[in-house]
Amino acid sequence: MSKLIVGNWKMNKSSKEAQELLEELAKKSSFCCDIVVCVPYVHLGLASRLLHKSQIKLGAQNCCHETSHKFTGEISVRMLKDFGCEYVIVGHSERRKHFAEDDLIINKKVLLALKNDLKPILCVGEELHEPDGSYLKDVLETQLKIGLAKLEANQLKNCIIAYEPAWAINTKERAPLDHILNTISLIRGVVRELTAVRAAVIYGGSVDFTNSAELLKQPDIDGLLVGRASLDFSEFTKTIHSCPH
Ligand code: PEP
């Protein structure tokens, strides 16, 4: 299975800046792994036009948990699909924290995305760095068991789990490798209780080209979710090229 690298632009880029970066990315004819860029909603149309002949797949950073029309300011999964999205980030720690998204709402988004043929990238991870004791396990069990509730076993193969410890996002230092590997193994254990299907698990939190190679060569890490380092063409492509061939 080839590794997956997902760029999360968050709330960045004017339309001119978005166009420049997308054009540069679209010009690259081959990548050694699967690439997704999750752009702000307002750039989806532009990204869809510019990336459509490239190898890069399009993703959104969120979606509405309902399908009815009465949700002012929201964007439905059907709209995302209509714009050519193949992926959608769900339950990012910034949405959990600033928009009070809970696991039940996140589960609705996961189910809706799958029903509409979009691959959800379900973000899970702890707020605090407390590797000892039961805190980490309790947080992840709750997020995964509720977040993935009511999924049919075969749907899990279209779902990506992003392990993102909130304390390692947007900092100067990535989480240590042994912490990432231990937690991913914990995640796999919880998921195995739900289904025999092997889920894709990627890591996110202050990844850039200086620390990505070590992660990408681990068989248990299926890819990366990259925030800040996906905003710059050279940094993002160097991160991508750190993937072993
Ligand atoms: C993120 O927000 O998903 C993320 C991984 O950000 P950063 O790489 O900037 O820590």
Side-chain angles (χ1 to χ4, degrees):
M1 181 169 121
S2 67
K3 303 271 179 179
L4 175 71
I5 300 192
V6 182
N8 174 15
W9 287 13
K10 307 197 192 194
M11 195 171 72
N12 287 293
K13 304 265 178 222
S14 65
S15 46
K16 183 170 175 287
E17 290 162 350
Q19 176 158 355
E20 281 165 6
L21 178 50
L22 291 163
E23 280 175 351
E24 282 186 294
L25 288 170
K27 265 194 243 146
K28 281 202 73 74
S29 57
S30 72
F31 291 104
C32 47
C33 43
D34 297 332
I35 313 295
V36 179
V37 288
C38 296
V39 303
Y41 289 142
V42 289
H43 298 323
L44 282 174
L46 175 73
S48 163
R49 284 192 299 281
L50 292 176
L51 296 180
H52 116 108
K53 286 200 184 123
S54 81
Q55 272 189 23
I56 301 171
K57 308 270 196 313
L58 185 57
Q61 298 171 19
N62 184 31
C63 61
C64 185
H65 61 292
E66 296 289 348
T67 51
S68 98
H69 305 163
K70 296 180 205 150
F71 283 86
T72 303
E74 287 293 293
I75 304 287
S76 72
V77 283
R78 266 199 233 135
M79 291 169 171
L80 298 181
K81 197 68 199 159
D82 188 39
F83 269 95
C85 286
E86 292 183 45
Y87 292 79
V88 59
I89 296 174
V90 167
H92 192 281
S93 60
E94 288 158 7
R95 297 216 52 93
R96 291 177 189 263
K97 184 171 170 193
H98 303 300
F99 298 90
E101 284 192 13
D102 64 19
D103 293 309
L104 290 172
I105 287 213
I106 291 164
N107 175 242
K108 283 188 172 186
K109 295 184 182 198
V110 169
L111 292 168
L112 266 182
L114 288 166
K115 193 171 162 201
N116 286 275
D117 226 7
L118 280 168
K119 294 190 169 100
I121 301 170
L122 170 64
C123 298
V124 296
E126 72 282 19
E127 272 291 319
L128 311 168
H129 186 25
E130 281 179 21
D132 302 323
S134 63
Y135 164 72
L136 179 62
K137 187 162 185 277
D138 291 348
V139 169
L140 290 170
E141 270 188 1
T142 307
Q143 291 178 343
L144 288 164
K145 285 190 176 160
I146 304 178
L148 297 174
K150 295 180 247 157
L151 244 76
E152 286 164 24
N154 68 346
Q155 286 184 301
L156 204 82
K157 63 178 189 311
N158 293 323
C159 199
I160 291 103
I161 297 169
Y163 169 52
E164 295 213 301
W167 52 268
I169 292 183
N170 203 13
T171 61
K172 291 218 164 57
E173 248 174 81
R174 201 201 67 196
L177 181 63
D178 61 340
H179 177 82
I180 299 173
L181 289 176
N182 289 340
T183 313
I184 287 184
S185 141
L186 203 157
I187 290 172
R188 291 198 187 284
V190 178
V191 173
R192 253 196 315 273
E193 286 175 33
L194 306 171
T195 164
V197 175
R198 184 189 184 277
V201 185
I202 64 177
Y203 167 79
S206 298
V207 172
D208 60 26
F209 69 91
T210 66
N211 60 27
S212 50
E214 185 189 36
L215 300 178
L216 288 167
K217 65 180 183 223
Q218 307 298 324
D220 222 23
I221 303 180
D222 296 313
L224 303 171
L225 181 49
V226 184
R228 196 180 39 216
S230 70
L231 296 174
D232 176 80
F233 176 73
S234 158
E235 272 208 48
F236 192 44
T237 47
K238 278 196 220 163
T239 309
I240 294 168
H241 287 134
S242 68
C243 194
H245 293 72

